[in-house]
Amino acid sequence: MIVLRNVSKVFNASSGPVTAVEDVSFQVEQGQIYGIIGYSGAGKSTLIRLLNGLEKPTSGSVTIAGQCITDATGEQLRRARLKISMVFQHFNLLWSRTVSENIAFPLQIAGASKAVIKQRVQELIGLVGLTGKEDTYPAQLSGGQKQRVGIARALANNPDVLLCDEATSALDPQTTDSILDLLLSINRQLQLTIVLITHEMHVVRKICHRVAVMEAGRIVEEGEVLSVFTHPQQPITRQFVKQTTEYSSANTPFNPQLVDAQGGCVLKLTFIGVSTQQPIVGELTLKYALPFNILHGKMTQTTHGTFGELWLQVAASDSQLERILADLHRYDITTEVVTHV
């Protein structure tokens, strides 16, 4: 559906050339929700403008639904853009138009008949959960409702691809979840390909199938969300994962003074899929006749399955610890020795 090959974008500034995107390659399959995550200045905004044809790459190619938009110009580019819609962070609604009129706007530009527009607007209002708000103006809507209007408007011309540029960044956590649930529902109902630009790992975890991590214009890590969450390879990826695991050396999920007083070692176990249902702690306790103190636990759901994290404290000798780690490896559980006294 979407293929980027060795895409770079260099801007000519007064101080000299500035590389915003450098040698980026990835592929998004039809019906996938693909997340692109990075901090400010990583190149995400430039990348999304390359995807919708608002910017031309300095080198490389961008192909969407078999159409190379890198080479498209004039009418050919306009037709290609009709199949690529955008949802924005700050809604970009027409404040003098009602909900229905905002959703109808792209249909009017495309030259659709009044009958077609009326029917399509009603379909979309129902799809995004705004029934009863047809004649309401944007100023009378909550942030989440405004974004629902933006999503409905983006879907008006039946696009092949929906680009979401920080679509939940201006919303509170509860509203963010409701919008993400809506996007996931739309993806499943319409088999719509969605590309999400974000700096929030929670967004990626909740609905994305694959994720690319950007830093300084490059993609430094890419893969299925569950794999990236459980085995992050790059330091920046580990920083993002900590947003949802709530663990860092400066903010432990348990009382470090209690751990220091009891001694031993602290193990961080990461479970994937069926291993989350196995009685691992009980079996280890029986086998080694050691008390395993559960310090903290967390289960996380992604679109590709569940993974769990568990912090255990155990006063084991070096030889026992070696055997415990080997047993956990046989259970296909990733284990990290957080502290070892």
Side-chain angles (χ1 to χ4, degrees):
M1 166 53 74
I2 300 174
V3 181
L4 274 74
R5 289 194 176 95
N6 306 113
V7 171
S8 294
K9 179 63 180 180
V10 180
F11 293 98
N12 293 316
S14 58
S15 58
V18 175
T19 301
V21 173
E22 184 177 0
D23 195 29
V24 165
S25 298
F26 64 82
Q27 184 168 327
V28 183
E29 301 296 335
Q30 167 70 37
Q32 253 184 1
I33 303 179
Y34 194 95
I36 300 173
I37 189 167
Y39 292 117
S40 296
K44 307 187 304 298
S45 296
T46 300
L47 184 59
I48 205 168
R49 290 173 65 84
L50 291 166
L51 287 173
N52 62 19
L54 290 176
E55 296 283 356
K56 292 283 187 181
T58 305
S59 60
S61 64
V62 179
T63 302
I64 297 181
Q67 171 78 52
C68 181
I69 66 170
T70 307
D71 301 326
T73 58
E75 180 63 20
Q76 187 182 36
L77 180 59
R78 191 191 73 83
R79 288 198 304 269
R81 282 179 178 164
L82 285 175
K83 292 299 182 181
I84 307 169
S85 282
M86 282 276 293
V87 178
F88 303 92
Q89 178 181 359
H90 296 296
F91 322 126
N92 287 13
L93 302 180
L94 300 169
W95 298 96
S96 62
R97 291 179 176 238
T98 64
V99 168
S100 292
E101 290 167 343
N102 266 280
I103 298 170
F105 187 62
L107 293 163
Q108 293 168 345
I109 292 175
S113 67
K114 289 184 177 179
V116 168
I117 291 174
K118 182 178 180 179
Q119 180 180 350
R120 182 63 176 153
V121 167
Q122 286 303 310
E123 289 174 357
L124 290 168
I125 284 175
L127 180 66
V128 301
L130 288 175
T131 302
K133 298 291 185 180
E134 294 87 345
D135 299 322
T136 304
Y137 287 90
Q140 301 169 293
L141 300 175
S142 67
Q145 290 170 333
K146 290 172 188 173
Q147 196 56 287
R148 288 172 184 268
V149 178
I151 292 169
R153 181 184 59 186
L155 297 175
N157 283 314
N158 294 298
D160 293 326
V161 176
L162 184 65
L163 305 177
C164 299
D165 188 6
E166 300 280 9
T168 61
S169 294
L171 306 175
D172 63 76
Q174 185 175 357
T175 306
T176 290
D177 280 345
S178 70
I179 293 298
L180 294 177
D181 287 338
L182 174 62
L183 289 172
L184 188 58
S185 175
I186 289 169
N187 165 259
R188 290 171 174 170
Q189 289 184 57
L190 307 181
Q191 280 299 294
L192 181 66
T193 304
I194 299 175
V195 178
L196 273 167
I197 302 292
T198 185
H199 64 272
E200 300 173 291
M201 202 61 168
H202 168 71
V203 172
V204 171
R205 175 195 65 78
K206 189 170 177 66
I207 69 170
C208 292
H209 302 112
R210 294 184 71 86
V211 60
V213 183
M214 285 195 76
E215 185 177 28
R218 300 181 66 92
I219 289 182
V220 296
E221 191 161 349
E222 196 270 351
E224 289 188 355
V225 169
L226 186 58
S227 175
V228 170
F229 258 83
T230 53
H231 300 95
Q233 301 299 307
Q234 300 296 322
I236 189 172
T237 310
R238 290 192 283 271
Q239 289 178 24
F240 280 121
V241 169
K242 285 176 184 176
Q243 291 180 3
T244 57
T245 58
E246 300 176 346
Y247 171 79
S248 71
S249 58
N251 182 28
T252 58
F254 46 81
N255 187 339
Q257 294 179 339
L258 179 62
V259 171
D260 291 341
Q262 294 181 349
C265 61
V266 174
L267 306 178
K268 178 188 173 185
L269 280 56
T270 303
F271 304 75
I272 303 175
V274 296
S275 62
T276 59
Q277 303 171 15
Q278 297 178 10
I280 306 299
V281 177
E283 292 182 13
L284 291 175
T285 299
L286 290 173
K287 181 174 182 179
Y288 292 97
L290 291 171
F292 284 80
N293 182 25
I294 298 176
L295 301 172
H296 179 76
K298 181 181 177 72
M299 297 286 286
T300 302
Q301 183 68 41
T302 75
T303 51
H304 274 91
T306 302
F307 75 92
E309 294 174 324
L310 187 66
W311 282 264
L312 301 176
Q313 181 184 23
V314 59
S317 65
D318 289 344
S319 61
Q320 287 175 320
L321 178 59
E322 186 177 345
R323 295 199 301 275
I324 290 168
L325 294 175
D327 284 341
L328 290 168
H329 179 72
R330 282 192 289 272
Y331 280 115
D332 199 25
I333 294 172
T334 303
T335 308
E336 175 188 353
V337 181
V338 179
T339 63
H340 187 194
V341 181

